[in-house]
Amino acid sequence: MSTLQIIACVKQVPASTEVKLNKETNTLIREGVEAIINPFDTYAIEEAVRLKQQHGGKVTALSMGIPSVAELLKQTVALGVDEAVLLSDRRFAGADSLATAWALAGGVRQTGAFDLVICGKQATDGDTAQVGPSLAEKLGIPHTTYVRSIEHVDEKLIRCIRLTDDGQETIEMTLPALITVVKDINVPRLPSIRGIRQAQSAPVKLLTADDVNADEKRIGLKGSPTQVVKTFIPAQTTESELFTGTPTEQAKQLVAKLVARRLVQEGEADGRD
Amino acid sequence: MVGLISKFMKSEHWEYLRDESRSIGEADSISFPRTEEELEKIVKVLAAEQIPITVQGARTGLTGGAVPYGGHVINLSKMNRITGLRYDHGRFLLRVQPGILLVEVRKALENMQFDTTLWSQESVDALELLKQSGPQFFSPDPTEASASIGGMINCNASGARSYHYGPTRNHIESVKVLLTDGSSLSLVRGKHRTIDGQFRVASEAGNELSGTLPLYKMPDVKNASGYYLKPDMDLLDIFIGSEGTLGIVTEAELSLLPAPAAIWGVTVFLPNQDSALRFVRAVRGEQVDGIRQSDIQLPVAIEFFDARALELLRKEREHNAAFGQLQEIKSHYHTAVYVEFHGDNDMQATEWILSLGDLITSCGGDETDTWVAQNPRDMEKLQFFRHAIPESVNMLIDQRRNTEPFLTKLGTDMAVPDQHLTSMFELYDRRLAETGLEAVVFGHIGNNHVHVNILPRSLEDYQRGKELYLDWAQEAVSAGGTVSAEHGIGKLKTAFLAVMYGEEGLQKMREVKRLFDPKGLLSPGNMFSPVQQER
């Protein structure tokens, strides 16, 4: 088959898994938290690099963000990405998932012909899982989400297995197409020293809104219909209680609770091992 | 008082009979003091009745130090508070109770979150200063982060980063110790010292304790075997590494260090063991083949994994879903060496990594065969790999115990001086080949301190392994090394202590024991086998 032109989308997120909120403003505290590549996107990059190694071709990593994201994009070069492209322009700032999709669509078109776009299933900061599917719509190509393995790719189609709530299903799509991937799909490699050495001199292609002929009404804050009216920490609806004491004491406390809530009857709890 | 000491109920307290050595002891009573006052009361009652006492922290030790040999168990897990903070001569000193876990100390420091309800004003002020000074850390890093600080002090624990930062001893500024006669000593580094072995110190109650510490020659390597004895020393050092045999540590001050801004790790795969050992020597600054690399940054950790350990992991990765997220260990990866760098920024770390690449090439390796971690998330992946090896060993042994319940792994803990690194490896390989025993070798090679884990398939293997272990201990000692560099002696390695110090040395240790615990009540069986102690 012919070689594959693959685009992997990448987002910068805070490294910390423990999200801290500013209690006064209800916004995420980002200061002092190291930035990393969205962990789900590392699976997208890995899958793209593996496909390239199997079928030949080229992998482009594409991101939208502040200029410092270029450093993170260089890390993807150390992993086997051939070209890194960053959409960076003040006019892109303040984008919601829709405006992000429009901007990325411009970036994808700018890179030329492509066969496959791979995104992580969602970003660990926003958790919307919307940008991937939304991007496919803007590009006018088929897409599927939560892909756990790619069974087959040729010049015309891709067949993959995606996770569903009940199990999994096999989806076949014509190329070009977009998939979003879950953790099960692979084990992302770590960079080698050789990779890091190569990445040192790798250029990151910077694209502005003009470079991708972006419609200003569709990007950045202007292009974002989403309005954050209020953010809040959801009220705790479940209670948890920690039993202490010896295992026997804890078991007794547990039984008493279950009986009190009528989840078991007294007789059931007694005398049985 | 009745409420403090409970009769030992096997059905409820069974877990307090064992530790990570997987040996099982017995006890008649148990207590869980919450405060120093409670602890003092308990010890008073027990001492009056001459009941032996085994002190426990989190029971993560590997030599049975916390396994009771009859008598009473004092479990310190409920004395687990951070009680204060002090700023002294440019350093922050965190005061903790012995039962607090290393992971809890780390978490508090990372989040800068402390329960200051019972803190003094001085401590609260120091905390303000700490918050302004930026992140600090407590450097000792035993693999098991759920170890208690009291346990770490009592076996002078170390870990991968001890190659650069040194063992627990180097980071303990003061300890408060309760002796079995009821007196409590506050010992501060630099303040309470011995002169020509002689010491004189006042207890909290004002009684004076004095004596003369004997002297023997300790090996000049990383060491956790026997009492720390030097002609002029800080008195608290006799308690660090004493395995609960002299007194009960009731409080300690941990000396903190500014946390490095950039922590990078690299696992390097070399094409053969010889190349790996050359790389180890080169990266720690030794001359190899007449060439010394001058531009190499010294790592804070140098760890080793032999071909057999990698093969074990390859198999586990295939069959065990828990190891599914391990990186692929390619078939041409023969031996692995892990190095870690702590720097001021990523740019500096990148430079160090690139010159490491040159060093790898000069040692016969290929810089493509490396895994680099540049952020905490990737560092976790490298740690996962490191921890997966002892875990795989334990799983393998558990499997074999199904058919042969008395089997355990035999894990060595010896360290030798730098110049004996290669010859020690030759010895291990030769004797393993001769005996046909299965084993994996991994550990802290920076300090010439690897763990050979012999994996017996039968009781005959086990017996042969024990003999081999004793042989190696003798070889390590005659090379100027130690029989235990970090796990301690506990109850499982007392025979090796005799190999190391001889009868004369043991006699001196018994003298020390008599000075602080004249009735011999504390931690019976630790360091000295019970028979030796009675003599």
Side-chain angles (χ1 to χ4, degrees), chain B residues 374-387:
Chain B
Q374 311 163 69
N375 58 56
R377 199 185 143 80
D378 287 348
M379 283 295 287
E380 268 174 35
K381 292 180 186 171
L382 296 189
Q383 268 158 22
F384 180 48
F385 168 80
R386 280 165 55 206
H387 296 176

PDB file of all heavy atoms in Angstrom, chain B residues 374-387:
ATOM      1  N   GLN B 374      11.570  12.993  31.567  1.00  0.00           N
ATOM      2  CA  GLN B 374      11.858  14.413  31.798  1.00  0.00           C
ATOM      3  C   GLN B 374      10.788  15.072  32.632  1.00  0.00           C
ATOM      4  O   GLN B 374      10.818  16.277  32.838  1.00  0.00           O
ATOM      5  CB  GLN B 374      11.953  15.140  30.453  1.00  0.00           C
ATOM      6  CG  GLN B 374      12.851  14.446  29.452  1.00  0.00           C
ATOM      7  CD  GLN B 374      12.613  14.914  28.036  1.00  0.00           C
ATOM      8  OE1 GLN B 374      12.924  16.040  27.686  1.00  0.00           O
ATOM      9  NE2 GLN B 374      12.042  14.060  27.207  1.00  0.00           N
ATOM     10  N   ASN B 375       9.799  14.316  33.061  1.00  0.00           N
ATOM     11  CA  ASN B 375       8.741  14.900  33.900  1.00  0.00           C
ATOM     12  C   ASN B 375       8.263  13.838  34.877  1.00  0.00           C
ATOM     13  O   ASN B 375       8.556  12.649  34.717  1.00  0.00           O
ATOM     14  CB  ASN B 375       7.593  15.420  33.020  1.00  0.00           C
ATOM     15  CG  ASN B 375       6.998  14.319  32.156  1.00  0.00           C
ATOM     16  OD1 ASN B 375       6.570  13.289  32.670  1.00  0.00           O
ATOM     17  ND2 ASN B 375       6.978  14.516  30.848  1.00  0.00           N
ATOM     18  N   PRO B 376       7.535  14.272  35.932  1.00  0.00           N
ATOM     19  CA  PRO B 376       7.140  13.330  36.983  1.00  0.00           C
ATOM     20  C   PRO B 376       6.370  12.122  36.441  1.00  0.00           C
ATOM     21  O   PRO B 376       6.535  11.008  36.920  1.00  0.00           O
ATOM     22  CB  PRO B 376       6.237  14.170  37.896  1.00  0.00           C
ATOM     23  CG  PRO B 376       6.620  15.579  37.651  1.00  0.00           C
ATOM     24  CD  PRO B 376       7.080  15.645  36.227  1.00  0.00           C
ATOM     25  N   ARG B 377       5.558  12.351  35.418  1.00  0.00           N
ATOM     26  CA  ARG B 377       4.753  11.267  34.877  1.00  0.00           C
ATOM     27  C   ARG B 377       5.632  10.179  34.255  1.00  0.00           C
ATOM     28  O   ARG B 377       5.441   8.990  34.498  1.00  0.00           O
ATOM     29  CB  ARG B 377       3.815  11.853  33.819  1.00  0.00           C
ATOM     30  CG  ARG B 377       2.653  11.006  33.489  1.00  0.00           C
ATOM     31  CD  ARG B 377       1.855  11.621  32.355  1.00  0.00           C
ATOM     32  NE  ARG B 377       1.372  10.559  31.497  1.00  0.00           N
ATOM     33  CZ  ARG B 377       0.314   9.815  31.761  1.00  0.00           C
ATOM     34  NH1 ARG B 377      -0.373  10.020  32.851  1.00  0.00           N
ATOM     35  NH2 ARG B 377      -0.060   8.857  30.943  1.00  0.00           N
ATOM     36  N   ASP B 378       6.614  10.608  33.493  1.00  0.00           N
ATOM     37  CA  ASP B 378       7.512   9.630  32.880  1.00  0.00           C
ATOM     38  C   ASP B 378       8.457   9.019  33.912  1.00  0.00           C
ATOM     39  O   ASP B 378       8.855   7.857  33.792  1.00  0.00           O
ATOM     40  CB  ASP B 378       8.299  10.272  31.729  1.00  0.00           C
ATOM     41  CG  ASP B 378       7.407  10.517  30.506  1.00  0.00           C
ATOM     42  OD1 ASP B 378       6.277   9.972  30.492  1.00  0.00           O
ATOM     43  OD2 ASP B 378       7.824  11.236  29.585  1.00  0.00           O
ATOM     44  N   MET B 379       8.814   9.818  34.940  1.00  0.00           N
ATOM     45  CA  MET B 379       9.640   9.272  36.014  1.00  0.00           C
ATOM     46  C   MET B 379       8.915   8.100  36.675  1.00  0.00           C
ATOM     47  O   MET B 379       9.529   7.101  37.041  1.00  0.00           O
ATOM     48  CB  MET B 379       9.941  10.344  37.073  1.00  0.00           C
ATOM     49  CG  MET B 379      11.009  11.342  36.689  1.00  0.00           C
ATOM     50  SD  MET B 379      12.645  10.612  36.477  1.00  0.00           S
ATOM     51  CE  MET B 379      13.085  10.273  38.176  1.00  0.00           C
ATOM     52  N   GLU B 380       7.603   8.249  36.822  1.00  0.00           N
ATOM     53  CA  GLU B 380       6.814   7.151  37.413  1.00  0.00           C
ATOM     54  C   GLU B 380       6.939   5.876  36.598  1.00  0.00           C
ATOM     55  O   GLU B 380       6.971   4.781  37.146  1.00  0.00           O
ATOM     56  CB  GLU B 380       5.335   7.552  37.478  1.00  0.00           C
ATOM     57  CG  GLU B 380       4.951   8.208  38.786  1.00  0.00           C
ATOM     58  CD  GLU B 380       3.530   8.731  38.766  1.00  0.00           C
ATOM     59  OE1 GLU B 380       2.673   8.094  38.126  1.00  0.00           O
ATOM     60  OE2 GLU B 380       3.287   9.782  39.388  1.00  0.00           O
ATOM     61  N   LYS B 381       7.021   6.040  35.265  1.00  0.00           N
ATOM     62  CA  LYS B 381       7.148   4.859  34.404  1.00  0.00           C
ATOM     63  C   LYS B 381       8.476   4.144  34.662  1.00  0.00           C
ATOM     64  O   LYS B 381       8.535   2.923  34.670  1.00  0.00           O
ATOM     65  CB  LYS B 381       7.049   5.257  32.929  1.00  0.00           C
ATOM     66  CG  LYS B 381       5.661   5.733  32.545  1.00  0.00           C
ATOM     67  CD  LYS B 381       5.608   6.106  31.076  1.00  0.00           C
ATOM     68  CE  LYS B 381       4.254   6.720  30.747  1.00  0.00           C
ATOM     69  NZ  LYS B 381       4.222   7.296  29.408  1.00  0.00           N
ATOM     70  N   LEU B 382       9.532   4.932  34.840  1.00  0.00           N
ATOM     71  CA  LEU B 382      10.831   4.311  35.107  1.00  0.00           C
ATOM     72  C   LEU B 382      10.843   3.660  36.490  1.00  0.00           C
ATOM     73  O   LEU B 382      11.446   2.612  36.689  1.00  0.00           O
ATOM     74  CB  LEU B 382      11.957   5.345  34.990  1.00  0.00           C
ATOM     75  CG  LEU B 382      12.171   5.968  33.609  1.00  0.00           C
ATOM     76  CD1 LEU B 382      13.450   6.789  33.592  1.00  0.00           C
ATOM     77  CD2 LEU B 382      12.227   4.904  32.524  1.00  0.00           C
ATOM     78  N   GLN B 383      10.167   4.303  37.447  1.00  0.00           N
ATOM     79  CA  GLN B 383      10.080   3.709  38.783  1.00  0.00           C
ATOM     80  C   GLN B 383       9.273   2.411  38.744  1.00  0.00           C
ATOM     81  O   GLN B 383       9.618   1.438  39.406  1.00  0.00           O
ATOM     82  CB  GLN B 383       9.407   4.685  39.746  1.00  0.00           C
ATOM     83  CG  GLN B 383      10.424   5.550  40.471  1.00  0.00           C
ATOM     84  CD  GLN B 383       9.821   6.830  40.991  1.00  0.00           C
ATOM     85  OE1 GLN B 383       8.625   6.916  41.171  1.00  0.00           O
ATOM     86  NE2 GLN B 383      10.657   7.815  41.231  1.00  0.00           N
ATOM     87  N   PHE B 384       8.217   2.408  37.951  1.00  0.00           N
ATOM     88  CA  PHE B 384       7.383   1.231  37.795  1.00  0.00           C
ATOM     89  C   PHE B 384       8.235   0.057  37.315  1.00  0.00           C
ATOM     90  O   PHE B 384       8.148  -1.058  37.829  1.00  0.00           O
ATOM     91  CB  PHE B 384       6.261   1.553  36.797  1.00  0.00           C
ATOM     92  CG  PHE B 384       5.299   0.433  36.533  1.00  0.00           C
ATOM     93  CD1 PHE B 384       4.727  -0.276  37.581  1.00  0.00           C
ATOM     94  CD2 PHE B 384       4.950   0.089  35.237  1.00  0.00           C
ATOM     95  CE1 PHE B 384       3.837  -1.309  37.335  1.00  0.00           C
ATOM     96  CE2 PHE B 384       4.062  -0.933  34.979  1.00  0.00           C
ATOM     97  CZ  PHE B 384       3.510  -1.642  36.030  1.00  0.00           C
ATOM     98  N   PHE B 385       9.093   0.341  36.350  1.00  0.00           N
ATOM     99  CA  PHE B 385      10.009  -0.676  35.820  1.00  0.00           C
ATOM    100  C   PHE B 385      10.932  -1.187  36.932  1.00  0.00           C
ATOM    101  O   PHE B 385      11.115  -2.388  37.111  1.00  0.00           O
ATOM    102  CB  PHE B 385      10.817  -0.065  34.667  1.00  0.00           C
ATOM    103  CG  PHE B 385      11.989  -0.888  34.211  1.00  0.00           C
ATOM    104  CD1 PHE B 385      11.802  -1.971  33.373  1.00  0.00           C
ATOM    105  CD2 PHE B 385      13.276  -0.565  34.615  1.00  0.00           C
ATOM    106  CE1 PHE B 385      12.883  -2.730  32.949  1.00  0.00           C
ATOM    107  CE2 PHE B 385      14.364  -1.321  34.188  1.00  0.00           C
ATOM    108  CZ  PHE B 385      14.159  -2.401  33.356  1.00  0.00           C
ATOM    109  N   ARG B 386      11.497  -0.246  37.709  1.00  0.00           N
ATOM    110  CA  ARG B 386      12.438  -0.646  38.775  1.00  0.00           C
ATOM    111  C   ARG B 386      11.742  -1.497  39.824  1.00  0.00           C
ATOM    112  O   ARG B 386      12.272  -2.487  40.304  1.00  0.00           O
ATOM    113  CB  ARG B 386      13.044   0.589  39.444  1.00  0.00           C
ATOM    114  CG  ARG B 386      14.172   1.196  38.655  1.00  0.00           C
ATOM    115  CD  ARG B 386      14.486   2.589  39.142  1.00  0.00           C
ATOM    116  NE  ARG B 386      14.776   2.622  40.563  1.00  0.00           N
ATOM    117  CZ  ARG B 386      14.594   3.697  41.325  1.00  0.00           C
ATOM    118  NH1 ARG B 386      14.138   4.802  40.812  1.00  0.00           N
ATOM    119  NH2 ARG B 386      14.889   3.643  42.601  1.00  0.00           N
ATOM    120  N   HIS B 387      10.519  -1.075  40.205  1.00  0.00           N
ATOM    121  CA  HIS B 387       9.809  -1.798  41.262  1.00  0.00           C
ATOM    122  C   HIS B 387       9.239  -3.121  40.772  1.00  0.00           C
ATOM    123  O   HIS B 387       8.972  -4.016  41.560  1.00  0.00           O
ATOM    124  CB  HIS B 387       8.686  -0.929  41.834  1.00  0.00           C
ATOM    125  CG  HIS B 387       9.208   0.297  42.511  1.00  0.00           C
ATOM    126  ND1 HIS B 387       8.384   1.275  43.030  1.00  0.00           N
ATOM    127  CD2 HIS B 387      10.465   0.706  42.761  1.00  0.00           C
ATOM    128  CE1 HIS B 387       9.133   2.237  43.549  1.00  0.00           C
ATOM    129  NE2 HIS B 387      10.387   1.913  43.401  1.00  0.00           N
TER     130      HIS B 387
END
